Amino acid sequence: MYKSEGYHMVFQGFGKDALNFLNALAGNNRKEWFNEYKSDYEDWIRTPALQFIESMQEPLQKISPHFVAIARKSGGSMMRPYRDTRFSNDKSPYKTNVGIQFRHEAGKDVHAPGFYVHIEPGGCFLGAGLWKPDSQALMKIRTAIVEHDKEYAGILKSSSLKSFNWEGDTLIRPPKGFNCDHSLIQEIKRKDFLVSKAFDEQIIFSNNMTKILAKEFAKTKDLMRFLCLALELPF
């Protein structure tokens, strides 16, 4: 499944002004400024981001045909630039980063299994896994870890994941119904099943960005397969 709005120009990397724009936005995070420089946002941020998304479709298919790259201005793989300020003391209206998620075709939001790219001055990283799944999904994953503990332990020890960091929240106590003495109890206590890895921000200016990040995503393939099968999703 692949949806596009015609961003067929070959992705050559972001322009050098991309990070300059994000830095300027951080210092002028208000609607009036953004509207004045909206054409710069289109040229330096959104257009190359959509071209990058389109360029990732083929590499993603090699990892799994069930993860999608949707090059669309709204409702696609690129996250909206607007912040949700309803429950935050920080009322600045715009995100000062670019967030891109290639989620599973069955997913409807950011809580679905997916691959993630975060572009921010001084803080670029990629991620893979599942962020803040609901209680039903957590139960399925925890049960799968218990039932296939040797397989999951092997994934954790694999050389491909050694360069990644585990992220997210963990329960203080074991979840109800799970043996506190289980060898993988620390994994069972996780509330997020997510790994991340920082990358040099200079990579975004390269025409090899797609190839470099796709290679990193491929290292998480066994973990992503385990999570999908635990959730009864095709991989």
Side-chain angles (χ1 to χ4, degrees), residues 2-9 47 50-51 54 71-72:
Y2 175 47
K3 299 177 182 178
S4 172
E5 287 188 344
Y7 293 89
H8 298 302
M9 185 180 296
T47 295
L50 293 175
Q51 291 168 355
E54 185 165 279
R72 182 186 294 164

Side-chain angles (χ1 to χ4, degrees), residues 25-90:
L25 176 58
N28 300 274
N29 201 327
R30 57 187 187 276
K31 186 176 181 180
E32 296 77 13
W33 186 91
F34 188 85
N35 287 341
E36 182 178 354
Y37 292 96
K38 194 167 185 178
S39 62
D40 291 341
Y41 170 77
E42 292 289 341
D43 293 342
W44 300 339
I45 302 296
R46 181 143 66 182
T47 295
L50 293 175
Q51 291 168 355
F52 165 69
I53 290 167
E54 185 165 279
S55 76
M56 281 295 300
Q57 177 62 16
E58 184 175 342
L60 283 175
Q61 290 289 303
K62 294 179 180 179
I63 298 173
S64 166
H66 299 287
F67 287 84
V68 294
I70 304 175
R72 182 186 294 164
K73 286 187 175 182
S74 177
S77 298
M78 184 178 180
M79 295 181 177
R80 288 160 46 89
Y82 311 104
R83 294 182 63 252
D84 184 351
T85 62
R86 292 175 298 170
F87 309 108
S88 174
N89 291 327
D90 180 1

Side-chain angles (χ1 to χ4, degrees), residues 27 31 34 44 54 64 72 95 135 145 148 172 215 219 224 231:
K31 186 176 181 180
F34 188 85
W44 300 339
E54 185 165 279
S64 166
R72 182 186 294 164
K95 299 173 186 175
S135 58
I145 291 174
H148 306 281
I172 296 175
K215 185 177 180 180
K219 294 177 182 179
M224 295 299 284
L231 296 172

Side-chain angles (χ1 to χ4, degrees), residues 18-196:
L19 295 183
N20 292 337
F21 178 87
L22 293 175
N23 273 322
L25 176 58
N28 300 274
N29 201 327
R30 57 187 187 276
K31 186 176 181 180
E32 296 77 13
W33 186 91
F34 188 85
N35 287 341
E36 182 178 354
Y37 292 96
K38 194 167 185 178
S39 62
D40 291 341
Y41 170 77
E42 292 289 341
D43 293 342
W44 300 339
I45 302 296
R46 181 143 66 182
T47 295
L50 293 175
Q51 291 168 355
F52 165 69
I53 290 167
E54 185 165 279
S55 76
M56 281 295 300
Q57 177 62 16
E58 184 175 342
L60 283 175
Q61 290 289 303
K62 294 179 180 179
I63 298 173
S64 166
H66 299 287
F67 287 84
V68 294
I70 304 175
R72 182 186 294 164
K73 286 187 175 182
S74 177
S77 298
M78 184 178 180
M79 295 181 177
R80 288 160 46 89
Y82 311 104
R83 294 182 63 252
D84 184 351
T85 62
R86 292 175 298 170
F87 309 108
S88 174
N89 291 327
D90 180 1
K91 298 302 180 181
S92 54
Y94 302 103
K95 299 173 186 175
T96 55
N97 66 270
V98 179
I100 297 169
Q101 188 193 33
F102 304 108
R103 69 177 65 114
H104 194 280
E105 63 189 3
K108 297 181 180 179
D109 56 31
V110 295
H111 305 292
F115 301 96
Y116 178 70
V117 177
H118 184 96
I119 299 172
E120 184 173 14
C124 292
F125 66 89
L126 57 90
L130 195 60
W131 180 67
K132 298 193 181 307
D134 61 29
S135 58
Q136 184 178 10
L138 276 175
M139 177 60 74
K140 288 182 177 180
I141 295 171
R142 289 165 176 165
T143 300
I145 291 174
V146 172
E147 293 179 349
H148 306 281
D149 53 354
K150 290 183 179 179
E151 178 186 350
Y152 194 73
I155 293 172
L156 297 179
K157 295 177 183 177
S158 65
S159 58
S160 61
L161 281 185
K162 284 185 177 179
S163 60
F164 288 81
N165 298 311
W166 284 88
E167 306 289 350
D169 297 327
T170 301
L171 293 172
I172 296 175
R173 296 182 178 84
K176 185 178 180 180
F178 291 87
N179 185 354
C180 63
D181 295 322
H182 194 284
S183 60
L184 293 175
I185 192 59
Q186 295 306 317
E187 300 303 315
I188 295 169
K189 287 163 63 176
R190 289 189 184 280
K191 297 170 67 177
D192 303 285
F193 290 85
L194 185 68
V195 294
S196 73

